Amino acid sequence: MTLVADYVLQRLREWGVHRIYGYPGDGINGLLGAFDRAAGDPEFIQTRHEEMAAFMACAHAKFTGEVGCCTATSGPGAVHLLNGLYDAKLDHQPVVAVVGQQKRLSLGSHYQQEIALDQLFADVSEYCQMVVHPGQLRHVLDRAFKTALTMRGVATVIIPEDVQEAKAQPSPPKMHGSVFSSVGWSRPVLLPDEGELRKAADVLNEGTRVAMIVGQGAAHAESEVVETAELLGAGVAKALLGREVLPDDLPFVTGPIGLLGSKASDNMIQNCDTLLMVGTSFPYAEWLPDEGQAKGVEIDIDGRMIGIRYPMDAHLVGDAKETLRALLPLLERKRDRSWREQVEKDVREWNDLCDKRAGQHFGGTINPQAVAAELSPRLPDGCILAADSGSGTNWWARHLKLRQGMRASLSGTLATMGPGTPYAIAARFAYPDRPVIAFVGDGAFQMNGMAEMITVKRYLDRLSGPAPFVFCVFNNQDLNQVTWEQRAMAGDPKFPGSQYIPDVPYAKYAELLGLKGIHCDKPKKVGKAWEEALASEVPVVLEFKVDQEIAPIPPHIVLEQGKKAAKAAVHDPERVGIAAKGARQKLTELAEHLPGRHS
């Protein structure tokens, strides 16, 4: 007899799901038995925590373009999924969560682990439904997948224990109320109105200093973005989720934008007269043109998000690739290339500045910028890069130069701590033959990354291999990004009571688990440490003891933040170090512009 739980896995398999991340519990006992009977298709990947399962499902969606899938038990297990599911929701990734619930008989009785899951998941989900009859399962699962794919978001399916263990009804009785659904979905081609396309072309053709910002919505439009930039003589900045849209060795790619961004991107935005945004909801107004400075054109597949970041003159609701294809014949090539030449000059100067800043070490301590700078030329072809949220993300964004075919992602909109390690694990499961490298701060590694090293141990035979698999940990004993935010945004000195974290021998911990651990605390040995890690056929925890006083200097100082940082510095316990090192880093930038410097 086929049970509902078996039919769940069968239907997931028909939807192309072959790997489900989760953690066991009695609320999904029926599903766990079905996983055993499914003999690995789909397979159950046991994480250390349900939050990590949701992060891995999100990462699977990001790196493969497929629907990610995770599962958890009722009550506490379901609650644990939420942060990872919000990561998927805010970054527009299709994820289906299958969650257990107490038996129907006990619902409403304040039973153990009984939570109103439909209410709990209402905000995070585009579709949330509890299955109360075996004949309902087919259309609920089908609609969950169709909704996740169409809305690019989360769909949650809740299945009580007794329903999981009931006899399956793949085809419900043909009667009033029965619904007969099918597996299948196709991506639509969405194009904007032709009149709006012509309006957009007029705006772009009239502009003399065009700046482009691209995000993950432009991920499959690389050639069209390049052709558009060439015609318009534009530079292209990349939101963090759009890192992999264009390789960084293109001379007009200005790199990241915003607080973690480049001076080249900032110069371009501050001086442009026309802004073209493609597939991005980059939200920070202080890093966009002043209102009225530039005319604007935006391309976004979601009409709800069009023209809500900067006042636009043309609103192109459509798929980035197809919309650019339709727009390109209407664009005129700019004869005056002086703007493009200035953009490319700024890119060269920024890259030179990054190299110089990374080469500055103070008191024999490793400059964290050097960790990224030394890796960049050593990045293996086709590697997949993940980052956590923290000060290390600054160096990941600024100093790593992606080449053609490389992949990169992080928690963009939620910007939560914790996903760097599970993102990398999911990438490795999806692409076991590709190099995978994660940048993780010691705070995030202590929060959950260390536990997920046990997941790596659990699947060591599958996650090892010739392609390197490296977790780079920045050990500075400080929740560093928040420390700098306290200084610049709140005007407060560092509060050690909240910011200090204990020193942990991360590399030795990795060795205890049977992984490779490498510890580096000497500036001159950073490159050699990377070479050792990249040569390993066993997953590596590469620990760098880095300087916590290197400020992630923004491309320009917002006046109010500058005042607050100066106020905070008066009583900061590290005021001497941050003042001296910050001055040295800033002087390096000023030296670039001294008379005769580039003659």
Side-chain angles (χ1 to χ4, degrees), residues 352-373:
D352 190 39
L353 175 62
C354 283
D355 289 341
K356 285 181 168 59
R357 284 181 175 173
Q360 294 177 333
H361 300 276
F362 304 91
T365 307
I366 294 174
N367 180 341
Q369 296 167 100
V371 173

Side-chain angles (χ1 to χ4, degrees), residues 48 62 71 100 105 139 149 196 289 293 418 471 518 536 577:
R48 298 310 101 200
K62 285 186 173 185
T71 189
L105 180 67
H139 72 253
L149 287 163
E196 199 72 7
Q293 169 193 326
F471 300 89
I518 302 172
S536 175

Side-chain angles (χ1 to χ4, degrees), residues 51 55 58-59 62-63 83-93 216 240-241 260 284 385-390 393 396 408-423 439:
E51 180 187 12
F55 278 138
C58 178
K62 285 186 173 185
F63 290 125
N83 195 48
L85 294 181
Y86 269 106
D87 186 40
K89 172 188 170 74
L90 270 61
D91 280 355
H92 309 291
Q93 297 302 317
Q216 66 173 350
L240 283 183
L241 287 174
L260 282 63
Y284 305 112
L385 303 172
D388 218 292
S389 297
T393 316
W396 183 87
S409 195
L410 76 175
S411 176
T413 311
L414 188 60
T416 178
M417 286 179 67
T421 297
Y423 268 34
F439 271 32

Side-chain angles (χ1 to χ4, degrees), residues 28 63 115-116 145 177 200 232 235 237 269 273 276 280 321 348 375 395 415 457 462 529 567 570 578 582 584:
I28 54 170
F63 290 125
I115 290 176
F145 276 84
L232 298 175
I269 294 300
D273 64 11
L276 172 57
T280 179
K321 185 179 186 70
R348 293 193 296 271
L375 169 62
W395 324 131
K457 174 184 175 65
R462 294 177 56 183
K567 173 176 172 283
V570 174
I578 61 177
R584 281 276 304 278

Side-chain angles (χ1 to χ4, degrees), residues 18-38:
H18 301 287
R19 186 177 303 112
I20 301 171
Y21 297 97
Y23 200 79
D26 62 353
I28 54 170
N29 273 346
L31 285 173
L32 297 177
F35 274 112
D36 188 20
R37 293 187 291 275

